[in-house]
Structure formats: C-alpha cells, structure tokens
Amino acid sequence: DADVTQTPRNRITKTGKRIMLECSQTKGHDRMYWYRQDPGLGLRLIYYSFDVKDINKGEISDGYSVSRQAQAKFSLSLESAIPNQTALYFCATSLGGAGNEQFFGPGTRLTVL
Amino acid sequence: KQEVTQIPAALSVPEGENLVLNCSFTDSAIYNLQWFRQDPGKGLTSLLLIQSSQREQTSGRLNASLDKSSGRSTLYIAASQPGDSATYLCAVFGNEKLTFGTGTRLTIIP
C-alpha cells in the first residue's frame, strides 16, 4: 500500500465550484505539504504544516485554504475554482526538523473549465 | 529568492551510455539537495538526498554530487536502460522549503 495517498486522482470541475483535495499518509510524519505543478514552472509550494496546530502559507497560497484534520490528514480546498488553477497537485510528507527527505503522493490532476 | 535551473530540458541517449544531468542554484545557503524521478501519472520518487556537508551520494547506478560553493549538482547515471526514461527533478531545501527546478526529460533509446 502507498504511504502517501491522494484523492481524487483526477477531477474536472467548473469555474466557481468549491473543490477539496485530500491527502493521507501512513508514514507517521509530522510535516505535510501541498504543491502544484505547471508545465515549465516546476513545483511550487502552496501550504505546509509542521503539525496539527501549525499551518503556514507557501509562495502561492492565494485562492487556496487547507485543513490539517489529524497528523495523517491534510486537505487542500479551492473555495471558488478558476481556470488558472488547472494543474497537477501533489501532497508530500517529511519527518520534523529542517531538511528531511520529502515523500510525495501520486498527484491529483485538476481541470477547471 | 532561490532559483533552480536544470539544463537541458530534454535529453535522448542510446541505451547503455553513461550520462550526466545538471542542476544549478543561486543561493548556496541550503540544508540539502534532493534528486527526484517523475514518471507520468505516478508522482515523484526520491532518488538521492545530499546533505549540505556532503559532496556526493550513491545508490546503485546513480551518483549525485554537490558543490555548494559553486551552486551546482550533477546526477550521473551509469549504463542507462530504457526503464530510466523519466523526468528528473532536483530540489534544494532552504528557508523551510524545497525549491524545484523544472526538470530534465530523459529518453533512453533501445
């Protein structure tokens, strides 16, 4: 079984809809991250969480919100989706402490029409 | 602001050749550098992590080097195989986050 799972794997939605992407991990890691990947731009950090009560904005947090429901679960929400949020979204986890190896989920491909 | 560059963006080589992928970064104040492999539809797989105090790491046919002072890393793949075809990403950790390059798409020709 995969250590980091994401649901759904693919989603097509319309402009203005609310969307939630979910991430679960069985690695027992404290830190969780959300990234988006766009062609030619690489992966960019949206939000990250060091534990359930510690959530931080990344470089491109506008238009997104997150919830850390438990150590193992970290959800990303788009309150009102827009077409330029069409991207591949990845969740990642790592142990606490600076510079630990990050482990990625399989990604969610989101298309906003 | 940290910037990570990977050149070339795409590379095709015949099976069996040794090859080198390049990564450069602008801010040498990093904790570590991580190389990933990305296969279509399968997310990112961590290949090697080099701490800032290290010069290289090896795993099987892969060897990654790090020259922090010059802001460069290389990933050496020995005896390439068709299964090595993928996109390879490097990322540096600093300021509590990873900054990624845009990757090199590698194709190994049988």
Side-chain angles (χ1 to χ4, degrees), chain B residues 4-7 20-25 30 32-35 48-51 54-57 63-76 89-92 104:
Chain B
V4 180
T5 303
Q6 292 183 250
I7 296 173
V20 174
L21 305 180
N22 297 297
C23 173
S24 61
F25 48 95
I30 63 169
N32 61 41
L33 183 144
Q34 199 167 352
W35 280 95
L48 290 163
L49 182 146
I50 312 176
Q51 299 293 348
Q54 297 176 315
R55 297 301 299 266
E56 64 179 273
Q57 278 284 356
N63 175 276
S65 68
L66 174 63
D67 184 340
K68 204 172 76 162
S69 62
S70 67
R72 296 186 181 197
S73 176
T74 61
L75 179 67
Y76 175 83
L89 300 168
C90 73
V92 295
T104 295

Side-chain angles (χ1 to χ4, degrees), chain A residues 3 10 12 15 19 22 27-29 36 47 51 54 64 69 72 83 99 102-103 108 110:
Chain A
D3 296 318
N10 289 282
I12 299 173
T15 297
I19 296 296
E22 299 186 340
K27 298 183 79 67
H29 288 170
R36 66 176 278 176
Y47 270 96
D51 63 39
D54 185 357
Y64 301 95
Q69 301 95 323
Q102 292 193 16
F103 297 88
T108 293
L110 177 66

Side-chain angles (χ1 to χ4, degrees), chain B residues 6-20:
Chain B
Q6 292 183 250
I7 296 173
L11 181 64
S12 293
V13 299
E15 179 178 1
E17 285 198 2
N18 303 325
L19 59 99
V20 174

Side-chain angles (χ1 to χ4, degrees), chain A residues 9 31 35 37 40-43 45 50 59 90 98-99 101-102 104-106, chain B residues 31-32 34 36 38 41-44 46 49 89 93 96-98 100-102:
Chain A
R9 295 293 312 280
R31 297 188 175 193
Y35 295 88
Q37 185 178 34
L41 291 179
L43 276 82
L45 183 63
F50 287 171
E59 59 184 300
F90 288 103
E101 190 174 4
Q102 292 193 16
F104 282 74
Chain B
Y31 277 98
N32 61 41
Q34 199 167 352
F36 294 88
Q38 184 174 19
K42 292 190 177 181
L44 278 69
S46 179
L49 182 146
L89 300 168
F93 191 95
E96 296 293 352
K97 72 184 187 83
L98 276 177
F100 282 83
T102 52

